[in-house]
Amino acid sequence: MAKKTTNCIWQDRKRHFRLPISFTRYSMTEDRLYLKTGFLNLKEEEILLYRVQDVTLKRSLGQRIFGVGTVCVRSSDLSVPHLDLVNIINSKAVKDMISDKVEDAKDRRRMRTTELLDLDGADRDGDGIPDYLQHDCD
């Protein structure tokens, strides 16, 4: 069986003083975000974009001076619930791109999550429809 290949749409390395002198590499395809670390001992982690719940940007004073930032990705993935893209260039643009690709991935899978403000009796049977909208046909 042939493995489906997808093109890398973004990649960068963790930077020190804006220089890419690190063995930590980040990349993103249309449906996944990757973290690769190590030189001799390699480790690769990935997050499916449709599982991403929140994307935030953090920039300390030192990061702003060197023109880098940290994009924090929180997901529902059990193996990688939190992934930080540390000291990347164009961090604001990367954060926005990840957010857009997450929405695209959710749209392709027809996934939408809803936030319920009042969970007390809103949907007791767990079918996704509030109980007050359902009529008993018995």
Side-chain angles (χ1 to χ4, degrees):
M1 178 187 290
K3 184 177 179 181
K4 181 181 174 185
T5 60
T6 55
N7 293 332
C8 180
I9 57 176
W10 172 80
Q11 62 184 359
D12 200 357
R13 288 180 177 250
K14 179 179 179 181
R15 295 174 181 265
H16 300 281
F17 305 108
R18 200 174 169 90
L19 301 172
I21 48 176
S22 171
F23 295 111
T24 302
R25 298 169 303 283
Y26 311 109
S27 61
M28 185 171 63
T29 62
E30 287 292 325
D31 62 345
R32 296 170 198 264
L33 185 62
Y34 295 95
L35 165 67
K36 298 176 185 174
T37 57
F39 177 66
L40 296 176
N41 296 321
L42 302 175
K43 180 179 179 184
E44 183 175 321
E45 297 181 14
E46 69 181 56
I47 294 178
L48 294 166
L49 290 178
Y50 78 90
R51 292 183 176 235
V52 171
Q53 296 173 332
D54 189 40
V55 181
T56 58
L57 174 63
K58 295 180 183 177
R59 296 180 74 201
S60 67
L61 176 61
Q63 287 176 318
R64 290 192 322 244
I65 289 171
F66 287 104
V68 297
T70 298
V71 176
C72 305
V73 179
R74 191 172 54 95
S75 76
S76 62
D77 191 317
L78 295 177
S79 63
V80 188
H82 190 86
L83 179 69
D84 288 340
L85 310 175
V86 181
N87 292 343
I88 57 172
I89 292 179
N90 300 323
S91 54
K92 172 75 169 115
V94 171
K95 177 205 168 278
D96 293 341
M97 180 175 52
I98 291 171
S99 294
D100 292 343
K101 294 300 178 183
V102 165
E103 292 303 315
D104 291 347
K106 288 181 180 182
D107 287 343
R108 280 195 307 274
R109 289 182 174 258
R110 296 186 176 135
M111 292 183 60
R112 286 290 129 204
T113 57
T114 57
E115 296 181 36
L116 299 176
L117 298 176
D118 181 17
L119 296 177
D120 186 28
D123 183 23
R124 292 182 185 155
D125 55 358
D127 63 356
I129 302 170
D131 292 339
Y132 69 88
L133 294 177
Q134 295 176 334
H135 302 287
D136 291 331
C137 296
D138 296 338

